[in-house]
Amino acid sequence: MTLFLPLLVLLPFLGLPLLLVVDRLGRRAVAVAAGATMLAGLGLLAALAPPVLAGDALVLWRPWLPDWGLDLSFRLDGLGLLFTLLIYGIGALIVLYAFYYMPADDRLTRFLMTLLAFAGGMLGVVLAENLLLMLLFWEVTSLTSFLLIAYKSKYHDSRIAARMALAVTGGGGLALLAGILLLGHIAGSFELSVILDRGDLIRQHRLYAPMLVLVLLGAFTKSAQVPFHFWLPNAMAAPTPVSAYLHSATMVKAGVFLLGRLYPALAGTELWFLLVTGTGAVTLLLGAYLALLKHDFKGLLAYSTISHLGLITLLFGLDTPTSAVAAVFHIINHAVFKASLFMVAGVIDIQCGTRDMRRINGLMKYMPVTATLGIVAAGAMAGVPFLNGFLSKEMFFAETVAYPSFGGYGTFVLPAIATVAGILSVGYSARFVHDVFFNGEPVDLPKTPAPPPRFMRLPMEVLVAIVVIVGVAPQLSVGWLLETASAAVLAGKAPPIKLAVWHGFNLPLVMSIVALGGGIFYYWRRDRVFTLHERYALDFSSPVAFERAYNGATAWARAALARLDARTLAQYAGLFLGLAILVGALAWLTSPAESSGAPLAGPLPLTPVDPVSAGAFLVLVLGVAGATWFVAERLLAILFMSVAGLVVSLAFIRFAAPDLALTQLSVELATIMLMLLALRFLPQTGPAERGRKARVATGSVAVGAGLGAAALAFAMLTRPFETISGYHIENAKPLAGGTNVVNVILVDFRGFDTLGEIAVLAMAALGTHAALRGARLRAFVRDAASAADRYPIMLRMLMQPMLPLALAVAVYIFLRGHNLPGGGFIAGLIAAIAYVLQYMAGGIAFASARIRLDFVLLLGVGLLVAALTGVASMVLGFPFLKSAWTYVKAAPLDDIGLASSLVFDTGIFLVVVASVLLVLTELGRLHVVEPALRPAGRAGPEPSPARAPAEAEG
Amino acid sequence: MTHLAFLPFLVPFLAAALLLLVPGEARKAQRAASLGATLLGLVLSVALVAAVSDGSILVYRLGDWAAPFGIVFVADRLSAMMVLLLFALAVPALLAAMRGIDGRGLHFHALFQFQLAGIAGAFLTGDLFNLFVCFEILLIASYALLLHAGGLERTRAGLTYVALNLVGSALFLVGLGLLYGTMGTLNLADLAFRLPTVAASDVPLVRVALVLVALVFLLKAAVFPMAFWLPHAYAAATVPVAALFAIMTKVGVVALLRLAVVALPDSAAGAGLLSPWLQVLALGTILLGTVAALAARRLAVTAASLVLVSSGTLLFAVADAREAATAALLYYLPHTTLATAGLFVLAGIIAAERGDLADRLVRGAAMARALPIGLAFALLALAVSGMPPLSGFLGKLMLMQGAGSGGWQPAWWAALLVSGLVAALVLARTASVLFWEPREAAPPRGRLPVPPAALLLLVLASPALTVAAPAVAGYAGAAAGQLHARVPYMVAVVGAGPDIPREVRP
């Protein structure tokens, strides 16, 4: 039997595709399908109910994410049964009602699908055994409520009210999530069966207080308790079936449901009493007070709902067994009479075209049956005898009188609050009845009211019949239900319940009489209340206020972000390096105790300074300082930077690293040349420096980063180090067939790195190609004179014979690479530079006429050659890039080592050449297509025709 | 000899090189080759996951040189999973380019494949210098892709992006140089073996080296305060590129995770290296992303801001460094990657539907395809804001339980919950503006610049991850367990108690 438990939750979701299927058959079919789903739920519930009514709880447990406490477990006990009955029962009536209520041009499919999804979510809340699963469904109800409130999305108020409800109930749900996680942590499980058994443990835990506050935040936001109540009146922007279903009978009851659900685990502490009863009392009074003041009768009903939810909350806070019973009883009663009242309100809304009670009067004449139904239901709301509301209100009064441990807080406070609330609720009920159904004639209505269709009245009739039946024969009609539900709330310790209309003449009855009489007097003198309210009330809960708050937050966020984010590279790099300095220092300083005093300098002695090195160092400093100082003068800055680069090459030579020196030198040359070419398209001077403060900040970061790097280099160089390079040196010749270890590392030991780096180089070229293609840049030329002398004849004469020589050198460097300084990378750069020089000397047209290659293709070929060298070894059954080599006797030359890495190196060579030349030709092409020579001024208008002859090339 | 651990790099790399041989005008051939390679990568990565799901660790020696002398690729549960995620994301991202975006600039497909190769390499490599190389590949590829289709905004954002990341590369090299200079190795497993043996006098220097490397990973992951570049760059990129970028921050996160979990524990050099400042910065990142989401004026910026939120979230779990935190992180990571990518694609489609208004969050014309787009928006919004019942909620549930022990818990929970709520409200407002407040009728239904299939795949990711949650979470838990066990990984790469010849110099 328990196997069908999940079906009880899933049924509404299964109804969703059904609705889509019958959508084409028209709105009647859709409504029938939705109603049938609800009725099927009722049937299933009836089938499952007997053991529950006998006092058992059906529990089905299926592990899902057991490590994280989220399991698919469901529980049907008395409380769940009560709510399931309400959800499916009222749901079926709501579907029927909505069929008539919703405009005929609304196909109903979307509406009823959302409504069904909500019902499913709500069922999940009340039937989940696992609290995390319950929370999941809890938020589903928040989200579907959002969609339903916003259903009439073309109205401004609907949209904002929906977001407001989402903010409050969704946010409360997240607090509840935190609370549940704490609760699960405390109880050691998220399963209700376990948690409900461990009340004592939970109440004594040190995390009880924060957990309780978080859980109550969830409950109070959902059940619209003060100060989170304001979303509910605004949610009345939803279509009335939604108000009747979600916002009176079911969803807003989820909060008080939770209080009942966790009652055995959480209740019984002073904190519980203070928070729950206190909040409930304030909500009860404020809701009842504000209800009278609403001219919109849906607003009146909304505040009345808030007030009644406060009443239920208050009762749960009292934590005596009988108070919990009263709370459960009022949940039932309120759901029934308030749903019917909303339905009546919806009929009036449609029939009159307005909801303003200052205009709607005397409807008794126009729709006597509906009016009678409304009057009866409103009587229940006011607590008139022989109606269901009277019974639970009477129980409420009795509880406030009987509450024992009220020491310290004054004995008469609670009964007084209860009586005042009673007076207020009689007052607003009287207003609803008197204003709407009597009080003269309607004023200036858009439509002439007429009775609703016959079957639209049916749901109201059913509900009002229940109101009366329960009011007259409570024990007979709902005694069984109340008993089961209360037993679940009280974990089986429910007192025997005997519902009766007449309890004898006692204090609660006196309070009821006072409430009725006082309420009518209060309503009679209502004008004075209105005047006072209009003078002093604050508006902090309207859609306008919410939107203002939201927009304020947005504006604040934009301002804050604009302040933080300067959108400059200088700021980003500064923050990055600044953080590096801070974190680096922190890492050094937080070293564990035994090494915290380690000095910066290591044990190695410092190398003595020779004059040449010192001189080179000074030049280096000069280069760097110059580049920094002249950073705005771009040409100068580049020249100074090249000085620094050259000194680095010298340093490599000084420390016996000829490969590095060669590479550095050729990279330096190629880079500087390309930069100089690109410089033509940049302003000759950089942008104005930022303010003094920014410069100081940037300067400090720069100095700090420099000093930090220097300190680290110093620390490292003064320490001996362990290295695995011995392996590379030993094995370069025997295992890889080369004597130049650097080259062997590059093409063999770590050839894969090299493959990656040539891909980087290739992509840089491709990126430049892509970025410059189609770019229309303007050259910044100092003056015409420099343009006239672009290709000095001397340079041209000198460079042409240089090309074959340079290429020969490149080949030589390439071939010897495996054994002596050289290799594909350096050779590629040398060859490329040779071509760059041709361009510099002769211009792009001259050069490209002589270099007829598709460099993109060449890049691809080079990459493929390199990569396929690696693939070849895979074909032979080795890992990628496994090298093979042999010696070829070739007298009179030396033995030539032929290694597979030579093929790999060829790929490198091709990629390097193609990359540099691709960038070069693209930059050169820009020179060709550039529209015109421009004067030195930067931001001028389009060049004047007189100064814009197409620039001839070559 | 199985090459499986290397193929996810090789396939896109070869494809990229081959694509350079196909002329750009032969777009159909380019697309077919690119998509074919990506699908092949997807198949291979599925095979890779299957191969390692029993807990085995595949070590691939490039050039047949043993670690630490040569470079190795290592496929364990974590790297296999990340590679699978990469290709699972790459397929819809590439599809998104196939209706013409790829033709708005040059070399799109080659660069895209290089990007895949670089990211796959970064996940798979077991060598820190090779990781640097992979970072360079993916950096330059991403820069070129970011500039794809040109324009002022992209050029500006791209220049900042590449220059800042080159500073990062420089710092990476400094860190690696220091590390090699003190430890004599760049292999992660070898490093893990050797870190506990560092002489006390060298510990501070090694710590600085490690933390600089970590900082470079954090730059990639866009941690506060090095995060401002991200929304500009991502929101400027074309749709397929932005979608693919959703995984870029995760490269930094996963690299840091591996460094923190495999190398740092049980050594003086690694003790307390990242905590507590990383937690603070991670929470700062979440806050920044939340504020940025609130401030966003375009949907793509919202999406980029949410990338920041997820970055901060993941980094907090990394800083936590407990197995449960890692397990939670590894469930959340694929979810957040695919969901934010979906939001980028959706932003592109909405921009196309709204004409001149693009994806700006102002009232305007209705959309011709409001219903399917609205549904996609709803699902993605649920997913990225971590609302039930989708995988974002499950991930959040795990992260709240798995990470943030001790005094961090209140701040951590508050950060997760508040950022989720703000995201939900921002997206609700966005939905209101885009779908509920049309000023005028929808423009005629034009052909979408992005194939709906690309969006569909990404939209369905979160429901799929929800339904498959037990399997995915189980795998994530196993991956976390394997990672935190450390020793199997170290032994697989360099052998037990490695006896590696070293010499002391000078």
Side-chain angles (χ1 to χ4, degrees):
Chain A
M1 211 55 198
T2 50
L3 279 177
F4 290 100
L5 212 43
L7 192 60
L8 207 51
V9 176
L10 286 179
L11 251 180
F13 296 111
L14 297 177
L16 298 181
L18 180 67
L19 260 60
L20 274 183
V21 170
V22 301
D23 174 51
R24 66 175 71 182
L25 301 177
R27 64 199 305 272
R28 186 175 296 269
V30 173
V32 168
T37 310
M38 295 287 192
L39 291 176
L42 277 182
L44 186 61
L45 179 67
L48 290 169
V52 180
L53 291 175
D56 290 336
L58 299 179
V59 175
L60 178 79
W61 182 75
R62 285 276 177 280
W64 195 51
L65 292 171
D67 290 348
W68 305 103
L70 179 54
D71 292 318
L72 300 178
S73 49
F74 295 93
R75 170 195 190 86
L76 180 64
D77 61 6
L79 191 62
L81 178 89
L82 164 64
F83 271 89
T84 309
L85 189 63
L86 288 178
I87 294 161
Y88 276 129
I90 297 185
L93 298 176
I94 290 288
V95 170
L96 175 61
Y97 180 79
F99 174 72
Y100 292 101
Y101 176 88
M102 299 301 284
D105 56 355
D106 187 313
R107 291 200 302 166
L108 271 183
T109 314
R110 186 160 72 92
F111 181 75
L112 288 179
M113 280 177 78
T114 321
L115 208 67
L116 277 183
F118 161 78
M122 193 65 208
L123 287 161
V125 170
V126 302
L127 293 173
E129 151 82 357
N130 181 291
L131 279 184
L132 292 175
L133 187 65
M134 185 211 76
L135 186 102
L136 192 148
F137 287 115
W138 182 281
E139 292 293 55
V140 169
T141 64
S142 297
L143 292 164
T144 44
S145 161
F146 166 78
L147 290 175
L148 286 168
I149 298 172
Y151 189 76
K152 294 187 278 186
S153 60
K154 62 180 171 179
Y155 296 104
H156 185 248
D157 281 1
S158 298
R159 299 190 302 254
I160 297 175
R163 284 164 47 219
M164 187 194 277
L166 181 67
V168 178
T169 62
L174 294 175
L176 179 60
L177 168 60
I180 287 176
L181 286 175
L182 279 182
L183 179 58
H185 170 73
I186 294 170
S189 170
F190 291 104
E191 305 295 316
L192 272 173
S193 312
V194 178
I195 290 172
L196 297 183
D197 268 354
R198 298 195 178 159
D200 291 334
L201 178 103
I202 292 166
R203 282 183 289 268
Q204 282 156 19
H205 199 275
R206 68 185 171 84
L207 288 173
Y208 171 75
M211 180 271 294
L212 183 65
V213 168
L214 288 167
V215 169
L216 290 181
L217 270 176
F220 290 171
T221 47
K222 202 79 163 177
S223 279
Q225 299 295 294
V226 175
F228 310 111
H229 64 288
F230 54 89
W231 69 268
L232 185 58
N234 290 307
M236 294 301 132
T240 299
V242 174
S243 310
Y245 194 36
L246 275 71
H247 302 135
S248 73
T250 54
M251 188 182 89
V252 290
K253 295 282 177 13
V256 289
F257 164 82
L258 187 68
L259 297 181
R261 180 89 283 178
L262 296 175
Y263 191 83
L266 303 184
T269 62
E270 177 145 330
L271 188 64
W272 168 274
F273 167 74
L274 281 177
L275 290 176
V276 179
T277 303
T279 309
V282 173
T283 309
L284 169 68
L285 288 175
L286 191 72
Y289 164 70
L290 289 172
L292 180 74
L293 301 168
K294 293 290 145 185
H295 300 305
D296 169 3
F297 54 71
K298 263 184 99 175
L300 183 150
L301 293 178
Y303 276 103
S304 153
T305 302
I306 291 172
S307 170
H308 281 275
L309 290 167
L311 188 156
I312 298 167
T313 304
L314 192 162
L315 279 170
F316 274 123
L318 294 182
D319 69 61
T320 61
T322 42
S323 72
V325 174
V328 174
F329 194 26
H330 201 65
I331 288 176
I332 305 174
N333 293 335
H334 178 256
V336 174
F337 71 68
K338 191 55 71 60
S340 59
L341 274 173
F342 268 111
M343 291 182 183
V344 171
V347 169
I348 298 170
D349 187 2
I350 290 186
Q351 294 299 329
C352 298
T354 175
R355 305 193 312 223
D356 190 336
M357 284 185 287
R358 288 166 298 193
R359 292 160 70 189
I360 302 170
N361 303 114
L363 289 187
M364 193 67 190
K365 266 188 289 187
Y366 296 90
M367 42 178 88
V369 182
T370 310
T372 311
L373 293 172
I375 292 166
V376 174
M381 175 162 77
V384 172
F386 303 110
L387 300 173
N388 66 354
F390 170 77
L391 296 168
S392 43
K393 186 163 277 188
E394 189 93 329
M395 284 171 83
F396 163 60
F397 287 162
E399 287 308 319
T400 58
V401 172
Y403 191 66
S405 60
F406 211 52
Y409 303 107
T411 318
F412 292 104
V413 174
L414 272 181
I417 289 174
T419 314
V420 171
I423 292 172
L424 295 173
S425 70
V426 171
Y428 67 69
S429 302
R431 175 170 189 203
F432 180 72
V433 171
H434 182 241
D435 260 0
V436 173
F437 302 116
F438 306 102
N439 202 16
E441 282 295 310
V443 184
D444 191 22
L445 288 184
K447 296 158 78 173
T448 310
R454 173 70 196 90
F455 284 98
M456 189 175 190
R457 230 166 42 209
L458 183 64
M460 295 175 251
E461 287 163 356
V462 171
L463 290 170
V464 171
I466 296 173
V467 165
V468 177
I469 293 168
V470 173
V472 175
Q475 183 64 24
L476 201 65
S477 54
V478 289
W480 55 279
L481 185 59
L482 183 58
E483 200 163 332
T484 335
S486 310
V489 170
L490 295 164
K493 294 187 285 265
I497 299 165
K498 185 87 185 82
L499 295 174
V501 179
W502 178 251
H503 288 279
F505 193 81
N506 52 15
L507 189 53
L509 188 62
V510 174
M511 287 162 73
S512 281
I513 294 167
V514 171
L516 279 171
I520 291 176
F521 177 76
Y522 170 63
Y523 175 64
W524 179 48
R525 299 298 304 270
R526 65 187 181 280
D527 289 344
R528 188 159 170 71
V529 184
F530 281 111
T531 321
L532 282 174
H533 182 73
E534 268 157 31
R535 194 173 301 163
Y536 297 111
L538 297 169
D539 171 38
F540 67 98
S541 62
S542 66
V544 178
F546 178 81
E547 198 63 354
R548 197 182 298 139
Y550 184 90
N551 289 337
T554 305
W556 172 85
R558 285 178 180 160
L561 209 58
R563 272 183 76 88
L564 284 174
D565 179 6
R567 299 199 67 165
T568 61
L569 177 60
Q571 188 208 23
Y572 297 172
L575 283 171
F576 177 44
L577 289 174
L579 191 66
I581 297 167
L582 277 180
V583 169
L586 191 73
W588 186 290
L589 295 175
T590 55
S591 300
E594 64 272 18
S595 51
S596 59
L600 187 63
L604 293 182
L606 299 179
T607 320
V609 181
D610 59 283
V612 179
S613 303
F617 177 73
L618 283 180
V619 175
L620 180 70
V621 170
L622 200 71
V624 174
T628 313
W629 186 258
F630 293 109
V631 69
E633 299 286 322
R634 293 192 157 134
L635 187 64
L636 273 176
I638 289 178
L639 291 179
F640 273 109
M641 264 170 62
S642 70
V643 170
L646 286 176
V647 175
V648 172
S649 313
L650 291 176
F652 284 140
I653 293 173
R654 163 75 176 75
F655 294 105
D659 279 280
L660 297 189
L662 263 175
T663 314
Q664 176 71 25
L665 204 62
S666 40
V667 166
E668 200 65 39
L669 269 172
T671 317
I672 297 285
M673 283 179 180
L674 292 179
M675 280 174 90
L676 287 177
L677 280 175
L679 201 60
R680 186 166 152 73
F681 298 95
L682 295 174
Q684 300 296 303
T685 52
E689 281 294 316
R690 294 176 300 153
R692 190 182 164 75
K693 245 171 96 179
R695 288 173 73 169
V696 169
T698 315
S700 340
V701 171
V703 170
L707 288 178
L712 291 174
F714 178 74
M716 190 185 80
L717 292 173
T718 51
R719 284 169 162 77
F721 68 103
E722 283 184 41
T723 173
I724 53 170
S725 61
Y727 176 92
H728 295 133
I729 294 167
E730 258 170 48
N731 293 314
K733 179 84 175 161
L735 294 183
T739 51
N740 178 4
V741 183
V742 174
N743 182 266
V744 172
I745 289 178
L746 284 179
V747 299
D748 200 336
F749 289 121
R750 301 193 65 103
F752 181 63
D753 279 342
T754 311
L755 183 69
E757 287 298 355
I758 60 171
V760 171
L761 195 59
M763 279 188 288
L766 292 172
T768 312
H769 183 212
L772 293 185
R773 181 57 53 96
R776 302 198 65 81
L777 302 178
R778 288 193 196 127
F780 288 86
V781 182
R782 258 178 213 284
D783 49 51
S786 76
D789 193 25
R790 277 175 72 175
Y791 308 116
I793 188 76
M794 277 302 291
L795 188 62
R796 204 161 159 178
M797 297 307 291
L798 201 61
M799 281 309 135
Q800 284 179 16
M802 282 288 280
L803 181 63
L805 277 178
L807 290 181
V809 170
V811 170
Y812 171 67
I813 291 273
F814 173 77
L815 283 177
R816 70 175 210 163
H818 217 43
N819 297 309
L820 290 165
F825 192 82
I826 302 168
L829 281 172
I830 291 173
I833 288 167
Y835 280 109
V836 174
L837 284 173
Q838 295 310 304
Y839 163 73
M840 291 223 139
I844 186 70
F846 170 82
S848 52
R850 284 155 186 81
I851 312 167
R852 292 195 182 149
L853 276 175
D854 180 342
F855 295 119
V856 175
L857 195 75
L858 195 62
L859 274 179
V861 170
L863 285 167
L864 270 184
V865 166
L868 289 178
T869 314
V871 174
S873 61
M874 292 166 79
V875 174
L876 298 173
F878 294 102
F880 186 77
L881 266 187
K882 164 87 174 166
S883 63
W885 50 272
T886 183
Y887 283 104
V888 178
K889 293 270 181 204
L893 296 170
D894 291 341
D895 293 353
I896 295 176
L898 274 187
S900 64
S901 50
L902 198 67
V903 184
F904 184 69
D905 227 3
T906 311
I908 299 174
F909 175 84
L910 291 177
V911 170
V912 172
V913 173
S915 298
V916 177
L917 291 186
L918 182 60
V919 175
L920 173 77
T921 48
E922 282 307 311
L923 280 173
R925 202 186 47 76
L926 276 180
H927 287 240
V928 179
V929 301
E930 81 190 29
L933 268 176
R934 297 197 59 248
R938 277 202 296 270
E942 288 298 308
S944 60
R947 301 209 53 171
E951 192 173 345
E953 274 300 330
Chain B
M1 181 74 239
T2 169
H3 303 287
L4 198 54
F6 179 61
L7 291 177
F9 176 93
L10 185 64
V11 167
F13 192 94
L14 282 178
L18 279 170
L19 278 164
L20 292 178
L21 307 185
V22 182
E25 297 77 45
R27 183 139 310 130
K28 274 195 179 146
Q30 290 238 345
R31 285 175 182 168
S34 194
L35 187 63
T38 313
L39 288 173
L40 181 58
L42 183 62
V43 171
L44 288 169
S45 51
V46 170
L48 188 61
V49 167
V52 300
S53 60
D54 62 349
S56 50
I57 295 173
L58 305 181
V59 178
Y60 189 81
R61 299 169 163 193
L62 287 149
D64 213 8
W65 299 108
F69 310 109
I71 299 162
V72 288
F73 268 27
V74 189
D76 59 0
R77 287 195 180 105
L78 172 62
S79 49
M81 164 188 147
M82 292 309 299
V83 169
L84 176 58
L85 175 64
L86 168 67
F87 284 99
L89 174 65
V91 170
L94 186 60
L95 283 178
M98 298 273 232
R99 264 199 195 167
I101 293 178
D102 53 354
R104 291 189 200 161
L106 297 175
H107 312 309
F108 177 87
H109 290 288
L111 292 167
F112 189 90
Q113 295 297 330
F114 272 130
Q115 171 86 324
L116 296 185
I119 298 175
F123 287 139
L124 285 166
T125 189
D127 183 282
L128 285 175
F129 188 80
N130 190 242
L131 182 64
F132 169 79
V133 173
C134 292
F135 270 22
E136 291 302 290
I137 297 177
L138 67 88
L139 167 65
I140 299 300
S142 62
Y143 172 53
L145 283 174
L146 177 55
L147 293 185
H148 182 73
L152 182 64
E153 197 193 346
R154 284 187 195 112
T155 312
R156 243 190 97 172
L159 185 66
T160 313
Y161 169 77
V162 76
L164 179 64
N165 275 285
L166 287 175
V167 177
S169 299
L171 202 68
F172 200 172
L173 278 183
V174 171
L176 288 179
L178 286 173
L179 213 51
Y180 189 71
T182 46
M183 308 295 301
T185 188
L186 287 169
N187 181 282
L188 187 72
D190 195 25
L191 190 69
F193 269 120
R194 295 186 39 76
L195 274 179
T197 68
V198 177
S201 59
D202 288 351
V203 162
L205 192 57
V206 175
R207 286 173 68 83
V208 176
L210 288 169
V211 92
L212 290 183
V213 171
L215 210 57
V216 177
F217 298 160
L218 287 174
L219 175 69
K220 299 278 172 198
V223 78
F224 178 83
M226 310 180 291
F228 297 120
W229 57 271
L230 187 141
H232 306 309
Y234 283 34
T238 49
V239 171
V241 176
L244 185 64
F245 276 15
I247 202 172
M248 294 273 285
T249 50
K250 281 68 180 180
V251 176
V253 170
V254 169
L256 186 65
L257 177 69
R258 209 176 263 288
L259 182 75
V261 172
V262 175
L264 298 188
D266 300 337
S267 69
L273 197 62
L274 301 177
S275 189
W277 58 270
L278 184 53
Q279 278 97 330
V280 176
L281 293 188
L283 292 177
T285 312
I286 297 177
L287 181 66
L288 176 70
T290 308
V291 171
L294 200 54
R297 290 184 161 94
R298 286 177 49 208
L299 184 54
V301 178
T302 314
S305 308
L306 294 174
V307 170
L308 286 184
V309 173
S310 77
S311 245
T313 307
L314 294 168
L315 287 172
F316 188 94
V318 171
D320 191 284
R322 284 175 306 157
E323 191 180 322
T326 307
L329 180 164
L330 293 181
Y331 178 82
Y332 183 72
L333 192 150
H335 150 78
T336 185
T337 307
L338 295 169
T340 43
L343 211 50
F344 280 118
V345 174
L346 183 69
I349 288 182
I350 287 178
E353 283 278 279
R354 279 162 47 100
D356 291 342
L357 279 179
D359 61 341
R360 271 178 286 155
L361 302 177
V362 289
R363 272 171 226 151
M367 281 174 267
R369 298 174 182 84
L371 186 64
I373 292 178
L375 280 175
F377 184 91
L379 280 172
L380 288 173
L382 285 183
V384 292
S385 59
M387 279 285 174
L390 292 184
S391 50
F393 172 72
L394 301 180
K396 193 170 282 186
L397 208 59
M398 297 175 192
L399 284 166
M400 286 177 76
Q401 293 182 61
S405 55
W408 289 109
Q409 202 169 48
W412 169 233
W413 284 16
L416 273 184
L417 296 177
V418 172
S419 64
L421 181 64
V422 173
L425 292 178
V426 166
L427 291 167
R429 164 73 187 238
T430 305
S432 179
V433 169
L434 294 180
F435 299 103
W436 291 340
E437 303 175 21
R439 281 249 172 102
E440 55 217 72
R445 234 172 133 102
R447 186 176 149 85
L448 283 177
V450 173
L455 181 62
L456 189 67
L457 286 176
L458 291 169
V459 167
L460 291 180
S462 186
L465 284 171
T466 313
V467 173
V472 179
Y475 185 93
Q482 187 182 45
L483 195 65
H484 282 262
R486 298 179 66 220
V487 179
Y489 174 92
M490 291 152 60
V491 169
V493 175
V494 284
D499 183 24
I500 291 156
R502 289 171 205 276
E503 45 193 278
V504 177
R505 295 199 201 145

